[in-house]
Amino acid sequence: MIVRRLTFVVICYFALCPAISAQGAAHTSLRIGVITIGRANVPPGAASVERGIRLGAAESKQTAALFGDDVELYEAEGAGSTALIAAEQLLSVRRVHVLIGVSPADADLLSGFAESHHVLFINAASRSQALRAACRRYTFHVEATDAMYENAAAATHHSPVTNNANSSGLRAGSQPDSVTLWGSTLQRFGASQINDRYRDKYRLGMDGSAWAGWAAVKIASEAALRARSTSPAKLVTYLESLATQFDGHKGWPLTFRIADHQLRQPMYTDTLLDAGGYRLTDVPELRDDSSLAASTDSDMRTPSKILDSLIASPGARPCKWSGK
């Protein structure tokens, strides 16, 4: 476990060092506020998001310390109308730069709060297309939409399942062709290491909700490190940049779509095998790495354009961001 953690820190250092050192030595201290929903009757998805957030915060704090920076995580309980009270507390007392909620039911309220107070809100729980259609400049979406899950399922049903080196064997108790953001048996692109770290910490397998929480913190903290700022307005500008990419251990660069601030990302399906058991498969076909090497900005095979095929939602209109 010690070796795994050391390897994680070293990899993060060399991945981020060139981008950060070129922008000066100013130090940052990013404060992230999380609205939890208490200890009683916590839905499994919300509990997973919380665990992912805490793992992400611990790892981001390690990485930030390499540059003399810091990442602080503050939590406040609240659900429904009390979620706004919790957000107010985090903003006024802790002076957070970023808000993350663990419940999809509170996402719209927190998104509106973040917009009116000009702090960043990262949606790690809600699949609502209406939340994206609200076009709030300070909100970015790591969780996928219902349409993305449906598109991924449709892509799987319309194409044969082939052997996949990113798949990792059988997963008991899964539903046939169920779509997820992540799987606890993924191995490639550093996936096995994050799955191991999560399992070591919680004695549980990392699911899609946990990955979303982890990724939300990773994205916010890396944006602050690279932009050399904790200003929410500057973080928004950085996240909107066409040059901004993140590594989510999925093998493809993760970027936010300017039209609605939705994270472009591969998704996975648990596919029922004829011999019994399940295989985790990525959707759409993302296994031909040579197509990436040969692609250009105008090429229909660029990662962003391929992943946009999952985001497509009938009737959805691009946001008209003020000042853009």
Side-chain angles (χ1 to χ4, degrees):
M1 181 170 65
I2 293 175
V3 173
R4 280 199 301 270
R5 288 176 178 172
L6 178 61
T7 301
F8 162 76
V9 172
V10 171
I11 289 173
C12 286
Y13 178 83
F14 285 107
L16 292 172
C17 189
I20 295 172
S21 60
Q23 300 184 47
H27 298 311
T28 63
S29 181
L30 182 70
R31 296 186 292 276
I32 300 174
V34 179
I35 294 85
T36 63
I37 55 178
R39 299 297 93 200
N41 300 318
V42 180
S48 289
V49 175
E50 287 184 23
R51 288 190 292 267
I53 287 171
R54 291 169 186 147
L55 177 65
E59 295 181 349
S60 295
K61 190 176 185 71
Q62 284 183 302
T63 303
L66 295 173
F67 305 96
D69 295 337
D70 197 13
V71 174
E72 294 292 337
L73 186 71
Y74 301 101
E75 298 184 13
E77 291 185 9
S81 60
T82 60
L84 294 181
I85 297 174
E88 286 278 10
Q89 177 186 0
L90 290 168
L91 185 60
S92 61
V93 177
R94 300 299 187 180
R95 304 189 67 80
V96 298
H97 308 104
V98 180
L99 288 172
I100 306 173
V102 305
S103 171
D106 299 331
D108 187 62
L109 286 174
L110 295 175
S111 172
F113 175 90
E115 190 73 12
S116 62
H117 291 81
H118 286 190
V119 294
L120 196 66
F121 175 66
I122 302 184
N123 168 34
S126 175
R127 302 180 181 184
S128 168
Q129 186 61 45
L131 180 61
R132 280 77 174 171
C135 290
R136 298 183 179 119
R137 185 77 179 276
Y138 283 80
T139 294
F140 289 80
H141 309 278
V142 171
E143 172 61 279
T145 63
D146 284 327
M148 291 173 70
Y149 283 91
E150 292 168 3
N151 290 340
T156 302
H157 293 154
H158 293 156
S159 63
V161 177
T162 59
N163 291 332
N164 179 12
N166 198 29
S167 304
S168 45
L170 308 181
R171 181 176 174 183
S174 300
Q175 295 299 316
D177 297 331
S178 61
V179 179
T180 180
L181 291 184
W182 188 258
S184 62
T185 56
L186 289 170
Q187 296 179 355
R188 292 179 66 195
F189 313 118
S192 62
Q193 286 85 352
I194 182 178
N195 276 328
D196 287 346
R197 296 196 300 269
Y198 187 89
R199 191 174 290 106
D200 287 345
K201 186 175 180 66
Y202 297 114
R203 300 295 184 264
L204 295 168
M206 192 178 203
D207 60 12
S209 295
W211 181 89
W214 172 84
V217 175
K218 183 179 191 289
I219 286 169
S221 60
E222 286 190 11
L225 281 169
R226 294 171 180 173
R228 307 310 302 150
S229 176
T230 58
S231 161
K234 291 184 178 180
L235 294 179
V236 167
T237 299
Y238 180 80
L239 293 174
E240 288 181 338
S241 171
L242 296 178
T244 297
Q245 299 180 348
F246 297 97
D247 177 14
H249 300 301
K250 292 190 171 190
W252 279 45
L254 308 185
T255 60
F256 284 102
R257 194 169 75 155
I258 191 63
D260 54 7
H261 287 178
Q262 176 63 53
L263 187 69
R264 299 180 176 100
Q265 58 183 304
M267 299 174 72
Y268 306 91
T269 59
D270 278 324
T271 304
L272 179 64
L273 301 178
D274 292 339
Y278 296 85
R279 176 171 53 205
L280 202 61
T281 306
D282 50 356
V283 180
E285 291 286 338
L286 305 178
R287 295 185 277 280
D288 182 9
D289 292 340
S290 63
S291 67
L292 291 181
S295 67
T296 66
D297 287 343
S298 61
D299 192 336
M300 288 304 293
R301 290 288 299 170
T302 59
S304 294
K305 290 180 179 178
I306 293 173
L307 293 175
D308 275 346
S309 67
L310 286 181
I311 300 178
S313 178
R317 296 182 178 181
C319 296
K320 295 181 180 179
W321 308 108
S322 59
K324 295 296 288 184

